[in-house]
């Protein structure tokens, strides 16, 4: 019997461009980064302070429009060490492990994900103190908060 | 089995091309807030939520997860329903079943789209693209005119085949499509929540717009809109506690056909103007609502008309006029706002198309007409007892139908 | 209810339409029915996963929905099941066919689908978070809060692999797998290794729901839906305790109330929980009230959730054996029903009359659906 023929397979990369309106609260946050400030908003009802800011506390059904400055130092509450990175959904090995922390900025109640540099993996633990490092040349994006380093 | 009422509607403050001042969850929140304001309800009064949009248009997978706080969904049962163009009405139907099955009493139904953030034509072409691209290794040339035909040319390309077939069947002319479009653009001018408004629009104004794909002109096509709609639905027991005026969902049905371009790999071609699912679904919905003669008993209708010829086509396929009679009815003024069978007093999808909300707006507009609450002058002058709402989608193949009444149906 | 599944694969090797046709047609034949016996068709599929806008457009005819009542829940299959139950309870339909499928193995990468689940203007732009990072943080949160060790977390995955090896439809299994095998697998984001995480999977699962009268005509061994509940948590990972699942707790409470259960841990005989990452089995079995809060170490140490244990959890091998996006939650419900029918083969637990099954969506199980099944 003849060898079974391979059925045709279409490999189709699709590339769409989306333009997302970030909304007014996040815009204010991004503009703050350029000045080296980290902004959050407080809920008048449950008193939580979240950063990045958003317009609504859905739990309390309250508008979040009380602005507060948080950080730039904070505490690592949770962490992971990335032996891989995902590139378009595919896991690729890292040459050096990447340190990712969930950081509670001073004055905030929410945790924010951040890259941690200048620390060895074995030093990373809950309770570690870190400080935000901003881009020297801000680009007007959320990435203007570049990473965190030991405080 | 129990009866289900629509107790209130909240729209975003506007439906526009680009809602620049907010992101998608904030836009949803605006419609939800307005629904709460219009019904004096609070989030804790809501038992469950059904929400839907077309996620490839905004490029966010399962966006209800991101938006959960913005529609008061945290700590509540939430279901996401998405069926293409029919999404908005599929959401209403899902909310109906949430209540009819007895598990929940008060349910929010939310439909939304923020089309300005993505590329809608790319999104629409994505319906058929994988199937078409599978033919590339077999020699299909995806560039040039042939490629556009196979990919449906976005949606206007495919709709032009439907319009040609409809005109041939009904004996209508391109001037009838101009007239239908002018009627709806004029109605939209009276609706504060419509997107494209042209006061006193004349058929000549439409006829002056360029042909996009014969016989469809630019003036025959819908816009792409940003907007959201939130409906409050409740059980018969709850209804008197929530609102003085309610509209009842007395009949509902949906039906699926083959994709109209044909199932390129394995299926058949169908006539895009036949729309058998509309006939099957409307028959079922009328039966459920106890309507035996829709021509007489239905007082007004809201159709999903992405293209102006469709308002004529749907009014026939859904049994409001005999086959081929719609152009004549249009000429006689029957479909006007003050006619015997007003069609799309809101201006229809032709004038406002935030896709995930579009089919829902057909239901909400019928409900507001029954309650006598249509704002800005688009309330039809006659008393509306029974209204027909219609949704359409997929690749020209899905039809959803909802029959609304001013009194609940007899069980 | 009755159900059928494909044999799950990393590459099913056929077009989606063919997979659906063969699975559903085979299912009809096994029950001696045709497509005309189906009152309503409910899909669970995902446009991103399918790479198609309105993913059901070309899928209707292969499952027999031509000119029939059809709709789609864009979520895990357990939510399509939920909608089917509602439609039958409403009295409008006697039968509902639930079709849930995903081609995450060959067609589109599941981690990329989950990248698109993140909000586009902050989390996606910052570029740190992804499905694996979120799962790793959740695992660490549970370990820190309740003192679970890396070996005990690996033991959860090893149990999954052993059970999956006994289940012929599963994609990935390993008889005699141990915690050390799991810890030797590729490290991803600490503390997670490859075997702690679901394998990208192709496959579909279909299920027929029927009213009581119709069910007795269709099968001699109907399984009954005794309770359902579902609930949603906040999206913001930095604003909740990842070591617990409040939405799964609320969903379970609703399902148990409907089923009239007062002591689920004692009354339920077997559980099938959607846990695409090992730690989620512990978090969710606690949220479902099957074991006390923070009991992961004791449960794994005592083998309490093994097939022969006090309360078997995921005897099928669960999502660590195969996790076809959308199909996964429906697969759990189907597996739980098979247990009650005594048709679970080598995965069969001791006879039981009540089972609980669970499905989820989102990062760290943001949205949960719980159902109680009864024989």
């Amino acid at each position: 019997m003849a060898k079974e023929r391979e059925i045709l397979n279409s490999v189709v990369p699709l590339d769409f461009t989306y333009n997302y309106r970030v909304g007014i609260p996040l815009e204010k946050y991004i503009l703050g980064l350029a000045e080296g400030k980290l902004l959050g908003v407080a809920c008048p009802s449950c008193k939580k302070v979240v950063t990045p800011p958003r317009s609504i506390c859905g739990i309390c059904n309250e508008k979040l429009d009380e602005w507060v400055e948080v950080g730039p130092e904070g505490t690592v509450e949770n962490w992971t060490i990335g032996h891989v990175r995902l590139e378009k959904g595919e896991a690729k090995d890292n040459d050096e492990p990447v340190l990712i922390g969930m950081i509670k900025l001073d004055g905030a109640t929410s945790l924010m994900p951040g890259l941690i540099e200048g620390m060895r993996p074995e030093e990373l633990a809950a309770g570690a103190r870190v400080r935000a490092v901003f881009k020297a040349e801000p680009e007007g994006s959320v990435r203007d908060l570049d990473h965190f380093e030991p405080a | 089995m129990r009866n289900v009422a629509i107790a209130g509607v909240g729209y975003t403050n506007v439906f526009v091309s680009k809602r620049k001042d907010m992101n998608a969850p904030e836009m949803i929140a605006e419609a939800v807030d307005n629904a709460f304001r219009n019904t004096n309800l609070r989030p804790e009064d809501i038992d469950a939520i059904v929400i839907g949009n077309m996620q490839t248009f905004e490029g966010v997978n399962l966006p209800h997860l991101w938006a959960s706080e913005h529609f008061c969904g945290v700590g509540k049962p939430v279901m996401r329903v998405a069926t293409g163009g029919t999404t908005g009405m599929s959401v209403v139907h899902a909310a109906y079943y949430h209540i009819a099955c007895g598990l929940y009493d008060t349910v929010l139904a939310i439909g939304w789209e923020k089309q300005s953030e993505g590329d809608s034509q790319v999104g629409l072409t994505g319906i058929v693209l994988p199937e078409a691209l599978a033919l590339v290794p077999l020699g299909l040339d995806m560039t040039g005119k042939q490629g556009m035909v196979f990919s449906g040319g976005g949606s206007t390309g495919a709709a032009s085949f439907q319009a040609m077939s409809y005109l041939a069947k009904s004996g209508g002319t391109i001037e009838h499509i101009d007239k239908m479009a002018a009627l709806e653009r004029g109605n939209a001018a009276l609706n504060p929540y419509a997107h494209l408004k042209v006061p006193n629009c004349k058929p000549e104004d439409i006829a002056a717009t360029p042909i996009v794909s014969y016989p469809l002109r630019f003036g025959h096509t819908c816009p792409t809109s940003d907007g959201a709609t939130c409906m409050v639905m409740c059980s018969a027991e709850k209804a008197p506690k929530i609102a003085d005026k309610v509209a009842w969902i007395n009949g509902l049905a949906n039906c699926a056909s083959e994709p109209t371009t044909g199932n390129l790999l394995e299926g058949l071609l169908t006539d895009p103007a036949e729309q058998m699912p509309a006939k099957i679904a409307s028959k079922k919905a009328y039966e459920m609502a106890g309507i035996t003669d829709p021509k007489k008993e239905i007082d007004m209708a809201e159709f999903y008309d992405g293209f102006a010829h469709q308002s004529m086509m749907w009014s026939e396929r859904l049994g409001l006029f005999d086959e081929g009679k719609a152009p004549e009815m249009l000429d006689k003024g029957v479909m006007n706002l003050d006619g015997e069978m007003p069609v799309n007093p809101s201006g229809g999808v032709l004038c406002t198309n935030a896709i995930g909300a579009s089919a829902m707006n057909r239901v909400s507009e019928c409900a507001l007409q029954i309650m006598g609450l249509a704002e800005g002058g688009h309330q039809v002058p006659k008393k509306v007892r029974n209204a027909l709402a219609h949704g359409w989608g997929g690749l020209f193949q899905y039809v959803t139908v909802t029959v609304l009444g001013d009194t609940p149906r007899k069980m | 209810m009755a159900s059928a599944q494909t044999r799950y694969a990393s590459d099913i090797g056929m077009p989606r339409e063919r997979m659906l046709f063969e699975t559903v047609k085979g299912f009809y034949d096994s029950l001696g029915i045709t497509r005309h016996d189906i009152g309503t068709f409910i899909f669970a599929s995902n446009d991103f996963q399918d790479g198609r806008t309105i993913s059901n457009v070309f899928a209707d005819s292969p499952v027999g929905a031509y000119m029939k009542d059809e709709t789609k829940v864009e979520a895990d299959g357990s939510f399509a099941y939920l909608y089917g139950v509602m439609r039958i309870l409403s009295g409008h339909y006697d039968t509902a066919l639930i079709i849930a499928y995903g081609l995450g193995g060959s067609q589109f990468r599941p981690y990329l689908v989950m990248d698109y689940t993140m909000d586009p203007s902050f989390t996606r732009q910052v570029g740190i978070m992804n499905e694996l990072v979120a799962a790793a943080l959740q695992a660490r949160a549970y370990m820190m809060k309740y003192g679970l060790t890396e070996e005990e977390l690996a033991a959860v995955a090893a149990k999954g692999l052993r059970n999956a090896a006994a289940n012929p439809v599963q994609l990935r299994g390993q008889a005699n797998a141990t915690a050390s095998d799991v810890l030797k697998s590729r490290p991803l984001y600490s503390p997670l290794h490859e075997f702690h995480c679901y394998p990208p999977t192709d496959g579909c699962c279909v299920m027929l729901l029927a009213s009581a009268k119709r069910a007795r005509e269709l099968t001699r061994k109907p399984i009954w839906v005794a309770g359902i509940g579902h609930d949603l948590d906040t999206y913001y990972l930095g604003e909740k305790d990842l070591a617990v699942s409040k939405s799964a707790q609320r969903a379970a409470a609703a399902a148990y109330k409907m089923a009239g259960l007062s002591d689920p841990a004692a009354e339920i005989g077997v559980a099938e929980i959607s846990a695409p990452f090992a730690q989620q089995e512990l978090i969710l079995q606690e949220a479902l009230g099957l074991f006390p809060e923070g009991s992961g170490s004791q449960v794994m140490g005592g083998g309490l959730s093994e097939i022969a244990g006090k309360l078997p959890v995921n005897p099928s091998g669960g999502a660590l054996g195969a996790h076809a996006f959308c199909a996964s939650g429906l697969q759990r419900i189907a597996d739980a029903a098979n247990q009650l029918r005594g048709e679970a083969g080598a995965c069969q637990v001791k006879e039981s009359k009540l089972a609980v099954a669970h499905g989820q969506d989102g990062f760290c199980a943001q949205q949960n659906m719980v159902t109680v099944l009864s024989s």
Side-chain angles (χ1 to χ4, degrees):
Chain A
M1 199 176 130
K3 186 170 170 288
E4 200 179 336
R5 193 170 62 84
E6 179 76 10
I7 301 295
L8 293 168
N9 182 39
S10 300
V11 178
V12 184
L14 292 180
D15 194 359
F16 298 176
T17 300
Y18 292 92
N19 298 293
Y20 293 109
R21 310 288 169 192
V22 300
I24 288 166
L26 196 56
E27 185 181 72
K28 200 164 171 176
Y29 168 84
I30 291 169
L31 295 174
L33 295 181
E35 299 172 16
K37 280 188 198 164
L38 285 161
L39 294 176
V41 284
C43 175
S45 177
C46 68
K47 306 295 176 200
K48 74 181 170 197
V49 177
V50 301
T51 188
R54 61 175 184 272
S55 59
I56 284 171
C57 173
I59 317 273
C60 305
N61 194 37
E62 292 282 357
K63 286 232 167 4
L64 297 174
D65 45 17
E66 188 189 317
W67 288 81
V68 287
E69 198 176 330
V70 296
E73 291 193 7
T75 308
V76 175
E77 299 269 327
N78 194 348
W79 82 100
T80 178
I81 295 162
H83 302 286
V84 296
R85 63 190 180 279
L86 292 187
E87 281 181 12
K88 297 231 173 220
E90 207 168 3
K92 301 268 177 69
D93 288 320
N94 285 337
D95 296 335
E96 292 290 325
V98 172
L99 277 52
I100 297 169
M102 288 297 274
I103 295 149
K104 185 179 273 183
L105 291 164
D106 293 345
T109 59
S110 67
L111 311 182
M112 176 190 254
L115 288 179
I116 300 171
E117 295 180 4
M119 193 185 272
R120 289 196 304 276
E122 56 274 19
E123 292 170 342
L124 184 56
R129 291 288 293 168
V130 291
R131 183 201 330 263
V133 179
F134 298 91
K135 275 215 175 85
E137 303 278 330
E139 297 161 359
S141 95
V142 292
R143 286 174 185 252
D144 286 346
L145 167 55
D146 195 71
H147 64 273
F148 290 85
E149 61 181 15
Chain B
M1 204 179 285
R2 55 185 192 157
N3 274 318
V4 176
I6 295 164
V9 177
Y11 294 123
T12 37
N13 296 344
V14 285
F15 284 75
V16 290
S17 296
K18 292 180 181 171
R19 192 67 197 266
K20 295 183 179 178
D21 59 331
M22 36 180 65
N23 64 19
E26 290 166 358
M27 191 185 77
I28 297 168
E30 189 175 272
V32 173
D33 271 358
N34 287 339
F36 282 139
R37 190 165 304 123
N38 294 343
T39 51
N40 289 320
L41 290 178
R42 292 182 50 76
E44 54 267 33
D45 301 320
I46 305 301
D47 299 324
I49 298 167
V50 189
I51 184 164
N53 74 315
M54 280 173 77
Q55 62 184 17
T56 44
F57 283 7
E58 288 83 9
V60 182
N61 181 49
L62 309 182
H64 69 292
L65 298 174
W66 172 31
S68 56
E69 289 205 11
H70 287 75
F71 58 80
C72 307
V74 174
K76 292 196 192 302
V78 174
M79 181 184 282
R80 171 176 164 77
V81 172
T83 58
T86 50
T87 292
M89 204 181 292
S90 297
V91 167
V92 171
H93 287 188
Y96 171 93
Y97 288 110
H98 272 65
I99 299 165
C101 75
L103 286 175
Y104 305 104
D105 278 321
T106 311
V107 177
L108 290 185
I110 305 167
W112 67 278
E113 212 73 67
K114 202 157 188 293
Q115 293 206 59
S116 66
E117 304 206 330
D119 184 331
S120 300
Q121 289 309 316
V122 171
L124 287 167
T125 304
I127 301 171
V128 71
L129 203 61
E131 268 60 31
L133 288 172
L135 300 178
V136 171
L138 305 175
L140 173 72
D141 176 11
M142 276 302 289
T143 59
K145 285 178 184 165
Q146 194 190 11
M148 282 303 278
V149 169
F150 268 90
S151 62
S155 56
T156 311
S160 62
F161 291 111
Q162 184 185 56
M164 281 306 284
S165 174
Y166 174 74
L167 292 183
K169 282 184 168 176
S170 66
T173 63
I174 189 168
E175 286 74 24
H176 283 110
I177 310 181
D178 294 340
K179 200 169 183 178
M180 192 73 231
L183 168 62
E184 298 196 34
R185 292 272 193 269
N187 286 352
L190 301 170
N191 175 6
Y193 300 103
H195 176 183
L196 281 184
K197 312 173 196 192
V198 186
N200 305 312
C201 187
K202 304 267 184 310
E204 305 87 84
D205 304 334
I206 301 292
T209 60
I211 294 277
V212 178
S213 179
Y214 191 84
L216 295 179
R217 302 182 193 282
F218 188 67
H220 298 159
T221 63
C222 58
T224 57
S225 315
D226 288 357
T229 301
C230 175
M231 289 171 50
V232 179
M233 295 168 57
C234 65
S235 60
E237 297 77 48
K238 278 273 165 146
K241 299 187 186 102
I242 297 176
D244 300 332
K245 296 174 181 172
V246 300
W248 299 90
I249 293 185
N250 287 342
L252 76 172
N254 67 312
C255 186
S257 173
E258 280 272 292
T260 284
T261 58
N263 202 331
L264 291 175
L265 291 180
E266 300 183 8
L268 299 166
L269 282 162
T270 53
D271 176 354
E274 186 187 6
Q275 295 295 329
M276 181 67 85
K279 299 175 192 171
I280 295 174
S282 58
K283 182 167 178 284
K284 206 168 139 189
Y286 290 141
E287 269 170 23
M288 179 179 160
I291 284 178
T292 50
D293 185 357
K295 291 188 185 67
K296 290 207 177 74
E297 291 172 75
I298 296 292
D299 297 306
M300 54 90 41
E302 282 279 347
F303 301 138
Y304 195 108
D305 59 333
F307 306 93
H309 69 279
Q310 293 182 332
S311 295
M312 294 184 276
M313 183 184 75
W314 296 129
S315 58
E316 296 171 14
R317 303 295 176 270
L318 296 164
L320 302 183
F321 301 136
D322 288 332
E323 296 271 320
K325 287 286 180 208
E328 184 189 330
M329 295 295 173
L330 179 66
D331 286 338
K332 285 183 179 166
V334 172
M335 295 160 94
N336 292 351
L337 196 65
D338 58 357
E340 292 153 54
M341 182 68 77
V343 164
N344 289 353
S346 68
V349 176
L350 187 68
C351 302
T352 314
N353 189 22
I355 293 193
S358 287
M360 181 176 289
N361 288 8
R362 311 285 61 79
V363 182
S364 61
E365 282 295 319
C366 285
L368 292 171
Q369 291 284 354
I370 286 172
M371 298 177 200
L373 295 175
E375 294 173 43
H378 78 291
Q379 177 73 41
V380 304
K382 68 172 180 175
K383 167 76 187 157
V384 179
R385 295 193 187 284
N386 293 302
L388 174 67
H390 155 265
W392 171 73
L395 200 52
F396 289 45
Q397 86 221 69
Y398 298 139
V399 170
T400 51
V401 172
T402 308
V403 177
L404 296 93
D406 66 343
T407 47
R409 80 195 158 101
K410 292 178 188 72
M411 290 290 185
Chain C
M1 65 168 76
S3 61
Q5 305 182 33
T6 46
R7 191 174 181 284
Y8 294 90
S10 58
D11 181 353
I12 201 104
M14 61 174 98
R16 176 184 71 138
E17 289 76 4
R18 173 90 179 274
M19 171 185 80
L20 290 169
F21 177 79
E22 292 195 350
T23 310
V24 176
K25 181 74 172 161
F27 182 54
Y28 291 156
D29 291 346
S30 73
L31 290 172
I33 61 172
T34 72
R35 73 187 196 91
H36 300 294
D37 291 302
I38 307 298
T40 180
F41 293 76
I42 304 177
F43 275 94
S45 62
N46 183 296
D47 290 7
F48 271 104
Q49 177 69 80
D50 254 8
R52 291 162 167 92
T53 306
I54 325 176
S55 51
N56 44 332
V57 157
F58 289 93
D60 291 323
S61 290
V63 304
Y66 178 67
M67 295 301 170
K68 299 284 183 191
D69 183 294
E70 178 267 7
T71 192
K72 180 181 114 187
V73 173
E74 193 161 45
D76 180 68
S78 55
F79 290 88
Y81 157 90
L82 172 73
Y83 191 12
V85 170
M86 286 180 183
R87 283 195 163 202
I88 288 173
L89 280 180
S90 76
H92 287 275
Y93 298 96
D94 278 331
T95 49
L97 187 73
I98 315 301
I99 312 110
Y101 69 90
L103 294 156
S106 64
Q107 192 168 275
F108 197 57
R109 297 175 193 131
Y111 298 147
L112 188 52
V113 175
M114 291 304 287
D115 275 356
Y116 284 115
T117 310
M118 299 186 294
D119 63 280
S121 36
F122 182 79
T123 315
R124 239 192 270 175
Q125 300 301 327
V126 169
I128 295 172
M129 192 57 72
N130 60 48
E131 189 183 17
L132 289 174
V133 170
L137 293 168
Q138 188 186 27
R140 178 78 64 199
Y142 188 93
M143 291 164 72
M144 286 195 293
K145 186 168 181 184
Y146 301 117
L148 189 84
T149 65
E150 297 211 1
E151 285 70 26
E152 287 161 344
L153 181 66
V156 179
K159 172 181 78 80
L161 292 173
R162 287 195 303 274
N163 291 354
N167 181 350
V169 304
Q170 292 282 39
L171 157 65
R172 183 178 72 181
Q174 187 183 326
N176 309 316
T178 63
S180 103
D181 294 332
V182 174
L183 293 173
K184 274 185 232 150
S185 66
R186 185 186 185 193
L188 300 173
Y189 288 90
S190 73
L192 298 183
H193 293 247
E194 186 182 340
F195 287 175
H196 288 114
C197 309
Y198 67 86
T201 307
D202 284 359
C204 80
C205 182
V206 296
M207 182 179 288
L208 181 66
L209 302 172
S211 62
K213 178 170 171 291
R214 193 76 182 97
R216 290 199 180 89
E217 292 163 7
L218 285 166
T219 172
R220 284 186 298 115
K221 281 199 262 183
I223 298 300
W224 305 97
V225 180
I228 44 175
H230 62 132
D231 201 279
L232 181 63
D233 267 331
T234 184
Y235 164 79
Y236 303 99
L237 293 175
E239 296 176 32
K240 57 185 170 189
D241 181 355
L242 299 179
V244 298
S245 174
K246 287 190 179 168
S247 75
Q249 287 169 12
R250 290 186 293 254
Y256 294 152
K257 187 177 170 209
M258 188 173 163
L261 301 190
S262 52
D263 185 1
E267 293 165 276
I268 286 168
V270 59
E272 281 286 341
I273 294 172
S274 255
F277 298 96
Q279 78 282 356
Q280 292 188 350
E281 182 173 304
L282 305 178
I283 294 169
L284 292 163
Q285 72 189 14
E286 292 165 22
L288 267 52
L290 306 177
F291 293 102
E293 187 185 328
S295 61
S297 299
Q298 294 92 299
V299 171
M300 294 324 295
L304 305 182
S305 59
E306 301 275 353
I307 289 180
K310 176 169 162 279
L311 205 174
V313 176
N314 289 341
S316 68
L320 296 180
H323 180 64
F325 218 76
C326 293
S328 199
L330 195 63
Q331 190 189 348
R332 300 281 74 75
I333 301 169
D335 284 336
N338 283 341
Q339 289 285 355
L340 295 182
R341 275 195 210 94
E343 293 172 358
C347 302
Q348 184 65 46
V349 304
K350 63 183 181 294
E351 193 185 333
S352 89
K353 293 200 170 353
L354 278 178
V356 64
H358 160 271
Q360 60 147 309
D361 266 318
F363 283 82
C364 299
Q366 189 190 342
Q367 189 170 19
N368 293 280
M369 202 292 309
V370 175
T371 185
V372 179
L373 305 178
S374 148
S375 59

